[in-house]
Amino acid sequence: MAKIGLTNFRYGVLTEGTDGTPTYGGPLTPGKAVSCTVDITNNDASLYADDALAESDTSFAGGTVTMGLDEADLTTMANLLGHNLTSGGIMTRSVDDVAPYVGLGRIVTKMVSNTQKYKVEFLYKVKFSEPSQDNQTKGESVEFSTIELQGTVAALANGNWSVTEEFSTKEAAVTYLESLLGTTSH
C-alpha cells in the first residue's frame, strides 16, 4: 500500500452526549488539503513481578493533529478557534475566546495492487489552537505559503477517538465522511 494523495478535509462542531455519543452540526470545509500529520501519544506502562514482565499497557492517551490548508478564510478561523465574526466580515480575537471541540476527517488516496482506494480517516474530538503567523515579502521570486492549524486529539467519554473506513470510489468516501458530520448521531 502506497499513500499517494490527501483530499477533502471536513469538520463539524461537536456536541457530546454524557455517554460519549457524538453529534455534529453538519459538514464544513476548512480549505483545500495541503498536509496532515497526526501524532498519537500512548500510555506505556510495564509491571514486572518475579523478575519477569507480568503486565503491560500501551493504550491511547491523546495526540495532536496538524492540518495544512491552502487558505483558511475568516469563517473557518472563527468556527475552529471560537472567535467572533461580524456579518460585515470582521473577525475579532479575544483572550476570552474558547475554541469548540470538532470532529475532523480527511480522505487519503492510496494505491493497492495497482488500484486506487480511498481511506476515510476521522478524529471524533479535536480542539484547535491559535496558529503562529509568518509572512514574507514577495522579493525577486514568488513562494507560496500556506497555513497550518494544530489541534489536540482527545477521546470521547465512551473511549472512541477515531474511525477509519476504505472505499473503492472517492465519491463513496466523501459521502461517508460527510455522513459522519451530519446532524444524526454516530
Side-chain angles (χ1 to χ4, degrees):
M1 183 264 315
K3 294 185 260 181
I4 60 171
L6 171 70
T7 63
N8 296 87
F9 277 133
R10 296 289 190 274
Y11 75 96
V13 177
L14 168 66
T15 301
E16 185 177 358
T18 54
D19 64 351
T21 303
T23 304
Y24 302 96
L28 300 167
T29 303
K32 292 181 180 177
V34 174
S35 63
C36 186
T37 303
V38 179
D39 290 316
I40 299 303
T41 304
N42 292 307
N43 295 312
D44 189 8
S46 300
L47 171 67
Y48 287 86
D50 286 338
D51 292 336
L53 180 64
E55 301 288 343
S56 67
D57 177 57
T58 54
S59 58
F60 174 82
T64 60
V65 59
T66 304
M67 174 175 58
L69 302 169
D70 70 329
E71 164 70 19
D73 60 44
L74 295 181
T75 300
T76 296
M77 298 302 283
N79 285 343
L80 289 176
L81 301 173
H83 299 318
N84 183 41
L85 183 64
T86 67
S87 59
I90 299 170
M91 184 176 73
T92 305
R93 297 175 183 99
S94 169
V95 297
D96 297 324
D97 292 345
V98 177
Y101 281 106
V102 299
L104 176 69
R106 66 197 183 279
I107 298 174
V108 177
T109 307
K110 58 188 204 165
M111 186 70 72
V112 179
S113 299
N114 206 32
T115 303
Q116 283 192 354
K117 302 276 185 180
Y118 303 90
K119 182 169 73 164
V120 173
E121 291 281 353
F122 186 79
L123 301 168
Y124 285 112
K125 188 174 182 178
V126 177
K127 183 181 274 198
F128 286 97
S129 58
E130 193 70 38
S132 297
Q133 297 183 23
D134 182 19
N135 305 298
Q136 297 176 359
T137 188
K138 185 164 72 171
E140 291 183 18
S141 64
V142 176
E143 286 186 37
F144 289 107
S145 83
T146 59
I147 184 166
E148 286 190 341
L149 293 173
Q150 187 171 47
T152 301
V153 178
L156 297 168
N158 64 14
N160 293 340
W161 63 273
S162 179
V163 64
T164 301
E165 190 163 340
E166 208 171 90
F167 298 88
S168 58
T169 68
K170 186 174 182 180
E171 294 76 24
V174 171
T175 299
Y176 174 71
L177 176 55
E178 290 183 347
S179 75
L180 288 171
L181 293 163
T183 55
T184 58
S185 298
H186 296 279

